[in-house]
Coordinates of all heavy atoms in Angstrom, one line a residue:
M257 N 0.8 -1.2 0.0 CA 0.0 0.0 0.0 C 0.9 1.2 0.0 O 1.9 1.3 0.7 CB -0.9 0.0 1.2 CG -1.8 1.2 1.3 SD -3.1 0.9 2.5 CE -4.2 2.1 2.0
V258 N 0.5 2.2 -0.8 CA 1.3 3.4 -0.9 C 0.8 4.4 0.2 O -0.4 4.5 0.4 CB 1.1 4.1 -2.3 CG1 1.9 5.3 -2.4 CG2 1.5 3.1 -3.4
K259 N 1.8 5.1 0.8 CA 1.5 6.0 1.9 C 1.4 7.4 1.4 O 2.1 7.8 0.5 CB 2.6 5.9 2.9 CG 2.4 6.6 4.2 CD 3.5 6.3 5.2 CE 3.3 7.1 6.4 NZ 4.4 6.9 7.4
K260 N 0.4 8.1 2.0 CA 0.3 9.6 1.7 C 1.4 10.3 2.3 O 2.0 9.9 3.3 CB -1.0 10.1 2.4 CG -2.3 9.7 1.7 CD -3.4 10.4 2.4 CE -4.8 9.9 1.9 NZ -5.9 10.6 2.5
I261 N 1.8 11.4 1.7 CA 2.8 12.3 2.1 C 2.2 13.6 2.6 O 1.3 14.2 2.0 CB 3.8 12.7 1.0 CG1 4.4 11.4 0.4 CG2 4.9 13.6 1.4 CD1 5.1 11.5 -0.9
K262 N 2.6 14.0 3.8 CA 2.1 15.3 4.4 C 3.2 16.3 4.3 O 4.3 16.1 4.8 CB 1.6 15.1 5.8 CG 1.1 16.3 6.5 CD 0.8 16.0 8.0 CE 0.6 17.3 8.7 NZ 0.6 17.1 10.2
E263 N 2.9 17.5 3.8 CA 3.8 18.6 3.7 C 3.1 19.9 4.1 O 2.0 20.0 3.8 CB 4.3 18.8 2.2 CG 5.3 17.7 1.7 CD 6.7 17.8 2.3 OE1 7.1 18.9 2.6 OE2 7.3 16.7 2.5
E264 N 3.9 20.8 4.7 CA 3.3 22.1 5.0 C 3.6 23.0 3.8 O 4.8 23.1 3.4 CB 3.9 22.7 6.3 CG 3.3 24.0 6.7 CD 3.7 24.5 8.0 OE1 3.7 23.7 9.0 OE2 4.1 25.7 8.1
V265 N 2.6 23.5 3.3 CA 2.7 24.4 2.1 C 2.1 25.7 2.4 O 0.9 25.8 2.7 CB 2.0 23.7 0.8 CG1 2.2 24.6 -0.4 CG2 2.6 22.4 0.6
L266 N 2.9 26.8 2.4 CA 2.4 28.1 2.6 C 1.5 28.1 3.9 O 0.4 28.6 4.0 CB 1.5 28.6 1.5 CG 2.2 28.8 0.1 CD1 1.3 29.1 -1.0 CD2 3.4 29.8 0.2
R267 N 2.1 27.5 5.0 CA 1.4 27.5 6.3 C 0.2 26.5 6.4 O -0.4 26.5 7.4 CB 1.0 28.8 6.8 CG 2.1 29.8 6.9 CD 1.6 31.2 7.5 NE 0.2 31.4 7.3 CZ -0.3 32.4 6.6 NH1 0.5 33.3 6.1 NH2 -1.6 32.6 6.5
Y268 N -0.1 25.8 5.4 CA -1.2 24.8 5.4 C -0.7 23.4 5.2 O 0.3 23.2 4.4 CB -2.2 25.2 4.3 CG -2.8 26.5 4.5 CD1 -2.4 27.7 3.9 CD2 -3.9 26.6 5.4 CE1 -3.0 28.9 4.2 CE2 -4.5 27.8 5.7 CZ -4.0 29.0 5.1 OH -4.6 30.2 5.3
D269 N -1.3 22.5 5.9 CA -0.9 21.1 5.6 C -1.6 20.6 4.3 O -2.8 20.8 4.1 CB -1.4 20.2 6.7 CG -0.7 20.3 8.0 OD1 0.5 20.8 8.0 OD2 -1.2 20.0 9.1
A270 N -0.7 20.1 3.4 CA -1.2 19.5 2.2 C -0.9 18.0 2.1 O 0.2 17.6 2.5 CB -0.5 20.2 1.0
F271 N -1.9 17.3 1.7 CA -1.7 15.8 1.7 C -1.6 15.4 0.3 O -2.5 15.6 -0.6 CB -2.9 15.1 2.4 CG -2.9 15.4 3.9 CD1 -3.5 16.5 4.4 CD2 -2.3 14.5 4.7 CE1 -3.5 16.7 5.8 CE2 -2.3 14.7 6.1 CZ -2.9 15.8 6.6
F272 N -0.5 14.7 0.0 CA -0.2 14.2 -1.4 C -0.5 12.7 -1.4 O 0.2 11.9 -0.8 CB 1.3 14.5 -1.7 CG 1.7 15.9 -1.8 CD1 1.7 16.7 -0.6 CD2 1.9 16.5 -3.0 CE1 2.1 18.1 -0.7 CE2 2.3 17.9 -3.1 CZ 2.3 18.6 -1.9
E273 N -1.5 12.3 -2.2 CA -1.8 10.9 -2.2 C -1.4 10.4 -3.6 O -1.9 10.9 -4.6 CB -3.4 10.8 -2.1 CG -3.8 9.3 -2.0 CD -5.2 9.2 -1.6 OE1 -5.9 10.2 -1.4 OE2 -5.7 8.0 -1.6
P274 N -0.5 9.4 -3.6 CA -0.1 8.8 -4.9 C -1.3 8.2 -5.6 O -2.2 7.6 -5.0 CB 0.9 7.7 -4.4 CG 1.4 8.1 -3.1 CD 0.2 8.8 -2.4
C275 N -1.4 8.4 -6.9 CA -2.4 7.8 -7.7 C -2.0 6.5 -8.3 O -0.8 6.3 -8.7 CB -2.8 8.8 -8.8 SG -3.4 10.4 -8.3
D276 N -2.9 5.6 -8.5 CA -2.5 4.3 -9.1 C -1.9 4.4 -10.5 O -1.0 3.7 -10.9 CB -3.8 3.4 -9.2 CG -4.3 2.9 -7.8 OD1 -3.5 2.9 -6.9 OD2 -5.5 2.6 -7.7
E277 N -2.4 5.4 -11.2 CA -1.9 5.6 -12.6 C -0.7 6.5 -12.7 O -0.2 6.8 -13.8 CB -3.0 6.2 -13.5 CG -3.5 7.6 -13.1 CD -4.6 7.6 -12.0 OE1 -5.0 6.5 -11.5 OE2 -5.0 8.7 -11.6
G278 N -0.2 6.9 -11.5 CA 1.0 7.7 -11.4 C 0.6 9.1 -11.0 O -0.5 9.6 -11.2
G279 N 1.6 9.9 -10.5 CA 1.3 11.2 -10.1 C 0.7 11.3 -8.7 O 0.7 10.3 -8.0
F280 N 0.2 12.5 -8.3 CA -0.3 12.7 -7.0 C -1.6 13.5 -7.1 O -1.7 14.4 -7.9 CB 0.7 13.5 -6.1 CG 1.9 12.7 -5.8 CD1 3.0 12.8 -6.7 CD2 2.0 12.0 -4.7 CE1 4.2 12.1 -6.4 CE2 3.2 11.3 -4.4 CZ 4.3 11.3 -5.3
T281 N -2.5 13.3 -6.2 CA -3.7 14.1 -5.9 C -3.4 14.8 -4.6 O -2.9 14.2 -3.6 CB -5.0 13.3 -5.8 OG1 -5.2 12.7 -7.1 CG2 -6.2 14.2 -5.5
V282 N -3.6 16.1 -4.5 CA -3.3 16.9 -3.4 C -4.6 17.6 -2.8 O -5.3 18.2 -3.6 CB -2.2 18.0 -3.7 CG1 -1.7 18.6 -2.4 CG2 -1.1 17.4 -4.5
T283 N -4.8 17.5 -1.5 CA -5.8 18.2 -0.8 C -5.3 19.0 0.3 O -4.2 18.7 0.8 CB -6.9 17.2 -0.2 OG1 -6.2 16.3 0.7 CG2 -7.6 16.4 -1.3
V284 N -6.0 20.1 0.7 CA -5.6 21.0 1.8 C -6.9 21.0 2.7 O -7.8 21.8 2.4 CB -5.2 22.4 1.2 CG1 -4.8 23.3 2.4 CG2 -4.1 22.2 0.2
P285 N -6.9 20.2 3.8 CA -8.1 20.1 4.6 C -8.6 21.5 5.1 O -9.8 21.6 5.3 CB -7.7 19.2 5.7 CG -6.6 18.4 5.1 CD -5.9 19.3 4.2
K286 N -7.8 22.4 5.5 CA -8.2 23.7 6.1 C -8.8 24.6 5.0 O -9.4 25.6 5.4 CB -7.1 24.4 6.8 CG -6.8 23.8 8.2 CD -6.0 24.7 9.0 CE -5.9 24.1 10.4 NZ -5.1 25.1 11.3
L287 N -8.7 24.3 3.8 CA -9.2 25.1 2.7 C -10.1 24.3 1.8 O -9.7 23.7 0.9 CB -8.1 25.7 1.8 CG -7.0 26.5 2.6 CD1 -5.9 26.9 1.6 CD2 -7.6 27.7 3.3
P288 N -11.4 24.2 2.2 CA -12.4 23.4 1.5 C -12.4 23.6 0.0 O -12.4 24.8 -0.4 CB -13.7 23.7 2.2 CG -13.4 24.4 3.5 CD -12.0 25.0 3.3
G289 N -12.4 22.5 -0.7 CA -12.4 22.7 -2.2 C -11.1 22.8 -2.9 O -11.0 22.7 -4.1
V290 N -10.0 22.9 -2.1 CA -8.7 23.0 -2.7 C -8.2 21.6 -2.9 O -7.8 20.9 -2.0 CB -7.7 23.8 -1.9 CG1 -6.3 23.7 -2.5 CG2 -8.1 25.3 -1.7
V291 N -8.3 21.2 -4.2 CA -7.8 19.9 -4.6 C -7.1 20.1 -6.0 O -7.6 20.8 -6.9 CB -9.0 18.9 -4.9 CG1 -8.5 17.5 -5.4 CG2 -9.8 18.7 -3.6
T292 N -5.9 19.5 -6.1 CA -5.2 19.6 -7.4 C -4.4 18.3 -7.6 O -4.5 17.4 -6.8 CB -4.3 20.8 -7.4 OG1 -3.7 21.0 -8.7 CG2 -3.2 20.7 -6.3
E293 N -3.6 18.3 -8.6 CA -2.9 17.1 -8.9 C -1.6 17.4 -9.7 O -1.4 18.6 -10.1 CB -3.7 16.1 -9.7 CG -4.2 16.6 -11.0 CD -5.1 15.7 -11.8 OE1 -5.6 14.7 -11.2 OE2 -5.3 15.9 -13.0
G294 N -0.8 16.5 -9.9 CA 0.4 16.7 -10.7 C 1.0 15.3 -11.1 O 0.8 14.3 -10.4
N295 N 1.7 15.3 -12.2 CA 2.3 14.0 -12.7 C 3.5 13.6 -11.9 O 3.9 12.5 -11.8 CB 2.7 14.2 -14.2 CG 1.5 14.2 -15.0 OD1 0.5 13.6 -14.8 ND2 1.6 15.1 -16.1
T296 N 4.2 14.6 -11.2 CA 5.3 14.4 -10.3 C 5.1 15.1 -9.0 O 4.2 15.9 -8.9 CB 6.6 14.9 -10.9 OG1 6.5 16.4 -11.0 CG2 6.9 14.3 -12.3
F297 N 5.8 14.7 -8.0 CA 5.7 15.4 -6.7 C 5.9 16.9 -6.9 O 5.2 17.7 -6.3 CB 6.6 14.8 -5.7 CG 6.5 15.4 -4.3 CD1 5.5 15.0 -3.5 CD2 7.3 16.4 -3.9 CE1 5.3 15.6 -2.2 CE2 7.2 17.0 -2.6 CZ 6.2 16.5 -1.8
E298 N 7.0 17.3 -7.6 CA 7.3 18.7 -7.8 C 6.2 19.4 -8.5 O 5.9 20.6 -8.2 CB 8.6 18.8 -8.6 CG 9.8 18.3 -7.9 CD 10.0 16.8 -7.8 OE1 9.3 16.1 -8.6 OE2 10.7 16.3 -6.9
E299 N 5.6 18.8 -9.5 CA 4.5 19.5 -10.3 C 3.3 19.6 -9.3 O 2.6 20.7 -9.3 CB 4.1 18.6 -11.5 CG 3.0 19.3 -12.3 CD 2.6 18.4 -13.5 OE1 2.9 17.2 -13.6 OE2 2.0 19.0 -14.4
A300 N 3.0 18.6 -8.5 CA 1.9 18.7 -7.6 C 2.1 19.7 -6.6 O 1.2 20.5 -6.2 CB 1.7 17.3 -6.9
M301 N 3.4 19.9 -6.1 CA 3.7 21.0 -5.1 C 3.5 22.3 -5.8 O 2.9 23.2 -5.1 CB 5.2 20.8 -4.7 CG 5.6 21.9 -3.7 SD 4.8 21.8 -2.1 CE 5.8 20.6 -1.3
D302 N 4.0 22.5 -7.0 CA 3.8 23.8 -7.7 C 2.3 24.1 -7.8 O 1.8 25.2 -7.6 CB 4.4 23.8 -9.0 CG 6.0 23.9 -9.0 OD1 6.5 24.3 -7.9 OD2 6.6 23.6 -10.0
N303 N 1.5 23.1 -8.2 CA 0.1 23.2 -8.4 C -0.7 23.6 -7.2 O -1.6 24.4 -7.2 CB -0.5 22.0 -9.1 CG 0.0 21.8 -10.5 OD1 0.5 22.7 -11.1 ND2 -0.2 20.6 -11.1
V304 N -0.3 22.9 -6.0 CA -1.0 23.2 -4.8 C -0.6 24.6 -4.3 O -1.5 25.3 -3.7 CB -0.8 22.1 -3.7 CG1 0.6 22.2 -3.1 CG2 -1.9 22.2 -2.7
K305 N 0.6 25.1 -4.5 CA 0.9 26.4 -4.1 C 0.1 27.4 -4.9 O -0.5 28.4 -4.3 CB 2.4 26.7 -4.4 CG 3.3 26.1 -3.4 CD 4.8 26.3 -3.7 CE 5.7 25.6 -2.8 NZ 7.1 25.9 -3.2
D306 N -0.1 27.2 -6.2 CA -0.9 28.0 -7.0 C -2.4 28.0 -6.6 O -3.1 29.0 -6.5 CB -0.9 27.6 -8.5 CG 0.4 28.0 -9.2 OD1 1.1 28.9 -8.7 OD2 0.7 27.4 -10.3
A307 N -2.9 26.8 -6.3 CA -4.3 26.6 -5.8 C -4.5 27.4 -4.5 O -5.5 28.0 -4.3 CB -4.6 25.1 -5.7
I308 N -3.6 27.2 -3.5 CA -3.7 27.9 -2.3 C -3.7 29.4 -2.5 O -4.5 30.2 -1.9 CB -2.6 27.5 -1.3 CG1 -2.8 26.0 -0.8 CG2 -2.5 28.4 -0.1 CD1 -1.6 25.4 -0.1
N309 N -2.7 29.9 -3.2 CA -2.7 31.4 -3.5 C -4.0 31.9 -4.2 O -4.5 32.9 -3.8 CB -1.5 31.7 -4.4 CG -0.2 31.7 -3.6 OD1 -0.2 32.2 -2.4 ND2 0.9 31.3 -4.2
G310 N -4.5 31.1 -5.1 CA -5.7 31.5 -5.8 C -6.9 31.5 -4.8 O -7.7 32.5 -4.8
Y311 N -7.0 30.5 -4.0 CA -8.1 30.4 -3.0 C -8.0 31.6 -2.0 O -9.0 32.3 -1.8 CB -7.9 29.1 -2.2 CG -9.0 28.8 -1.3 CD1 -10.1 28.0 -1.7 CD2 -9.0 29.2 0.0 CE1 -11.1 27.6 -0.8 CE2 -10.0 28.9 0.9 CZ -11.0 28.1 0.5 OH -12.0 27.8 1.4
L312 N -6.8 31.9 -1.5 CA -6.6 33.0 -0.5 C -6.9 34.4 -1.2 O -7.5 35.3 -0.6 CB -5.2 33.0 0.1 CG -4.9 31.7 0.9 CD1 -3.5 31.8 1.4 CD2 -5.9 31.5 2.0
T313 N -6.5 34.5 -2.4 CA -6.8 35.8 -3.2 C -8.3 36.0 -3.3 O -8.8 37.1 -3.0 CB -6.1 35.7 -4.6 OG1 -4.7 35.6 -4.4 CG2 -6.5 37.0 -5.4
L314 N -9.0 35.0 -3.6 CA -10.5 35.1 -3.8 C -11.1 35.4 -2.4 O -12.0 36.2 -2.3 CB -11.1 33.8 -4.3 CG -10.8 33.6 -5.8 CD1 -11.4 32.2 -6.2 CD2 -11.4 34.7 -6.7
L315 N -10.6 34.8 -1.3 CA -11.2 35.1 0.0 C -10.9 36.6 0.3 O -11.8 37.2 0.9 CB -10.5 34.2 1.1 CG -11.0 32.7 1.1 CD1 -10.2 32.0 2.2 CD2 -12.5 32.6 1.3
Q316 N -9.7 37.1 0.1 CA -9.4 38.5 0.4 C -10.3 39.4 -0.5 O -10.8 40.4 0.0 CB -7.9 38.7 0.1 CG -7.0 38.1 1.2 CD -5.6 38.3 0.8 OE1 -5.2 38.3 -0.3 NE2 -4.8 38.4 1.9
E317 N -10.4 39.1 -1.8 CA -11.2 40.0 -2.6 C -12.7 40.0 -2.2 O -13.3 41.0 -2.3 CB -11.2 39.5 -4.1 CG -9.8 39.7 -4.7 CD -9.7 39.1 -6.1 OE1 -10.7 38.4 -6.6 OE2 -8.7 39.3 -6.8
D318 N -13.2 38.9 -1.7 CA -14.6 38.8 -1.2 C -14.7 39.1 0.3 O -15.8 39.0 0.8 CB -15.2 37.4 -1.5 CG -15.3 37.1 -3.0 OD1 -15.3 38.1 -3.8 OD2 -15.4 36.0 -3.4
K319 N -13.6 39.5 0.9 CA -13.6 39.9 2.3 C -14.0 38.8 3.3 O -14.7 39.1 4.2 CB -14.3 41.2 2.5 CG -13.8 42.4 1.7 CD -14.4 43.7 2.1 CE -13.9 44.9 1.3 NZ -13.0 44.8 0.3
F320 N -13.6 37.6 3.0 CA -13.9 36.5 3.9 C -12.7 36.3 4.8 O -11.6 36.6 4.4 CB -14.2 35.2 3.1 CG -15.5 35.2 2.4 CD1 -15.7 35.5 1.1 CD2 -16.7 34.8 3.2 CE1 -16.9 35.4 0.5 CE2 -17.9 34.8 2.6 CZ -18.0 35.1 1.2
A321 N -12.9 35.7 5.9 CA -11.9 35.3 6.9 C -11.0 34.2 6.3 O -11.5 33.3 5.6 CB -12.4 34.9 8.2
I322 N -9.7 34.3 6.5 CA -8.8 33.3 6.0 C -8.4 32.4 7.1 O -8.0 32.8 8.2 CB -7.5 34.0 5.4 CG1 -7.9 34.8 4.2 CG2 -6.4 33.0 5.1 CD1 -6.7 35.7 3.7
A323 N -8.5 31.1 6.8 CA -8.2 30.0 7.8 C -6.7 30.1 8.1 O -5.9 30.2 7.3 CB -8.6 28.6 7.3
Q324 N -6.4 29.9 9.4 CA -5.0 29.9 9.9 C -4.6 28.5 10.1 O -5.2 27.7 10.5 CB -4.8 30.8 11.1 CG -5.1 32.2 10.8 CD -4.2 32.9 9.8 OE1 -3.0 32.6 9.8 NE2 -4.7 33.7 8.9

């Protein structure tokens, strides 16, 4: 069984789950709806950073509280 990898990304825990077909699916539990993927760990890391930044930008624009 393949084990998930937990990394702190931009102050948020991101969980990298290996996919059977290769690559990773990434979720950020404190930011509902933030899910991304990548063919390599590095690509998944870049994609989750972009997803977190986009999510936080939208929260700021809409004046919502940001999860810490």
Side-chain angles (χ1 to χ4, degrees):
M257 177 165 199
V258 182
K259 189 176 178 182
K260 287 184 184 181
I261 301 168
K262 176 185 169 192
E263 289 285 329
E264 186 173 309
V265 181
L266 300 173
R267 300 184 333 242
Y268 295 95
D269 289 337
F271 291 87
F272 294 73
E273 186 170 359
C275 299
D276 291 338
E277 64 277 1
F280 295 87
T281 298
V282 189
T283 57
V284 182
K286 283 195 173 183
L287 303 176
V290 174
V291 179
T292 189
E293 60 184 16
N295 292 322
T296 65
F297 183 81
E298 293 77 16
E299 181 181 20
M301 178 68 82
D302 288 342
N303 290 345
V304 76
K305 286 178 183 178
D306 286 343
I308 291 170
N309 281 324
Y311 186 95
L312 297 178
T313 297
L314 289 174
L315 287 179
Q316 287 175 328
E317 287 175 359
D318 292 340
K319 300 191 180 3
F320 285 100
I322 296 175
Q324 296 297 321

